[in-house]
């Protein structure tokens, strides 16, 4: 009798405990390093079609981008048609005539992954149907299409609580049974870095990026009030302690190749890598200049972003517009980015004593005057020597020098 009572008690406990542990969980182990891929928004806005997406997918493979790790092909706003009589969301029958399942199969057949976009409110930012009231239904639809990544926006949500709304979609994605990366696009208004790690895999920390460096000249299509690359950097940099494997600060998709000069593109890309940011391309990869391609496919620079330690770097000091950024890397290595925020070139002396630092996340010291490191310039691909002896370098305006330091034997 006693044993039976104990079994009943245990069963009752298990029944109450199970929902708490099994429902409220995001899909784990999906974004141990920052997600990499391409999105339609920055270049094409709402002007997208199945034909363009397929051509982009082909170019991702033929250009070598997929081989560098850019695998998600994310269709942003404006793929939608109307909901059917049962409330199921459908794609636009004119621009996506073969349907989303067929498009997902096409992407998977190329070794790529399929990303899609929706919104927590009644409508998306471009006025398409949002997921409000259809969360579980939409998650099931996405799973049936073979979706691997959902960007979930925050337009048209006047009375909604962001934590509750994003949790609801997280639970819906979990219940739909297909592992899907959950990209929270709340623009940083409700400080998602404080609550989103258990909900999604990345969260936007700022408003929308524009194709401009310093909030001065905007290249390409213009629209309401975008942020320049520098404004985004300054907002995203202080949030480093919130990021880590499986949960990343997202300073928005890349503008490399959309019109900024090559030096600014290189600085933008490098700072995203130093901040362990998701690398979601925003250019037309069917038609890239050699300079754009060289930036986006530099595997040694990408490796700084994708380092398995998964620690977001930080601005260690700033002197006369020269910023010194550090990022600790696996195997006791470090990345150092010298970023010249001025328009003109600057010469600086690297005095290794000045460059000692400590990372509070990994609790590691970098003492290049005491410990000997070999250092390699990742943009020129040259090993430049060993720490210990001071050296002088020139950094062009709005440009970077990026080094990887390896302990010398
Ligand atoms: C918002 C997002 C953008 C993009 C558009 C689409 O502005 O922040 O990244 O998805 O909506 O309408």
């Amino acid at each position: 009798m006693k044993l039976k009572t104990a079994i009943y008690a245990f069963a009752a406990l298990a029944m109450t405990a199970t929902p708490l542990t099994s429902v409220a969980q995001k899909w784990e182990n999906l974004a141990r390093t920052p997600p990499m891929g391409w999105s339609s928004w920055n270049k094409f806005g709402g002007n997208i079609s199945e034909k363009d997406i397929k051509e982009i997918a082909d170019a991702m493979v033929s250009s070598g981008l997929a081989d560098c790790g850019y695998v998600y092909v994310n269709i942003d706003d404006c793929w939608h048609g109307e909901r059917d009589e049962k409330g199921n969301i459908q794609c636009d029958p004119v621009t996506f005539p073969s349907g989303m399942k067929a498009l997902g199969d096409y992407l998977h057949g190329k070794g790529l992954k399929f990303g899609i976009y929706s919104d927590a409110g009644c409508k998306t930012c471009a006025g398409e149907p949002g997921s409000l009231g259809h969360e579980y239904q939409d998650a099931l639809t996405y799973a049936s299409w073979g979706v691997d990544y959902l960007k979930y926006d925050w337009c048209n949500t006047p009375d909604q609580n962001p934590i509750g709304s994003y949790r609801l979609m997280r639970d819906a994605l979990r219940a739909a049974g297909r592992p899907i990366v959950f990209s929270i696009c709340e623009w940083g208004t409700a400080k998602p870095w404080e609550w989103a790690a258990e909900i999604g895999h990345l969260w936007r920390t700022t408003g929308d990026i524009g194709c401009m460096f310093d909030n001065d000249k905007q290249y390409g299509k213009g629209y309401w009030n975008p942020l320049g690359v520098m404004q985004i950097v300054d907002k995203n940099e202080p949030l480093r302690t919130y990021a880590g494997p499986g949960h990343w600060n997202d300073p928005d998709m890349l503008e490399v190749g959309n019109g900024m000069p090559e030096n600014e593109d290189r600085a933008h890309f490098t700072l995203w890598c130093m901040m362990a940011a998701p690398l979601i391309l925003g250019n037309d990869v069917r038609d890239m200049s050699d300079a754009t391609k060289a930036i986006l496919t530099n595997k040694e620079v990408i490796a700084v972003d994708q380092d398995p330690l998964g620690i977001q770097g930080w601005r260690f000091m700033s002197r006369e517009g020269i910023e010194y950024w550090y990022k600790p890397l696996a195997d006791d290595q470090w990345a150092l980015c010298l970023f010249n925020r001025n328009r003109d070139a600057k010469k600086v002396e690297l005095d290794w004593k000045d460059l000692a630092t400590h990372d509070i996340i990994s609790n590691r010291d970098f003492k290049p005057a005491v410990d000997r490191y070999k250092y390699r310039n990742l943009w020129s691909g040259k090993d430049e020597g060993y720490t210990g002896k001071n050296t002088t370098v020139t950094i062009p305006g709005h440009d970077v020098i990026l080094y990887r330091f390896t302990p010398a034997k």
Side-chain angles (χ1 to χ4, degrees), residues 190-228:
K191 301 189 176 165
W193 45 90
E194 290 180 354
W195 47 264
E198 50 114 12
I199 299 177
H201 302 93
L202 57 158
W203 51 83
R204 281 274 296 280
T205 55
T206 74
D208 288 7
I209 194 169
C211 186
M212 59 186 162
F213 194 69
D214 208 359
N215 209 18
D216 45 6
K217 174 174 178 186
Q218 193 184 350
Y219 299 90
K221 69 168 170 53
Y223 63 104
W224 69 288
N225 203 20
L227 298 169

Side-chain angles (χ1 to χ4, degrees), residues 41-42 76-78 117 124-126 151 153 155 185 187 204 206-208 223-224 252-253:
W41 185 253
N42 282 359
D76 208 282
D77 211 344
C78 304
Y117 164 98
T124 70
C125 296
K151 172 174 165 183
D153 216 334
C155 279
C185 182
W187 322 307
R204 281 274 296 280
T206 74
D208 288 7
Y223 63 104
W224 69 288
D252 207 358
M253 305 170 292

Side-chain angles (χ1 to χ4, degrees), residues 297-329:
T297 59
N298 184 320
K299 289 188 177 174
E300 291 190 276
V301 177
I302 293 170
V304 171
D305 180 78
Q306 295 288 304
D307 184 81
L309 271 189
I311 295 180
Q312 179 173 331
W314 78 102
R315 179 163 37 211
F316 158 73
M317 68 174 169
S318 178
R319 269 187 202 158
E320 294 174 21
I322 304 294
E323 298 184 358
Y324 297 72
W325 287 68
Y326 277 122
K327 186 179 194 285
L329 306 175

Side-chain angles (χ1 to χ4, degrees), residues 21 55 95 104 107 117 139 172 212 235 305 332 342 358:
T21 49
E55 286 176 12
T95 46
L107 297 173
Y117 164 98
M212 59 186 162
K235 285 176 188 281
D305 180 78
D332 289 324
N342 308 289
H358 175 79

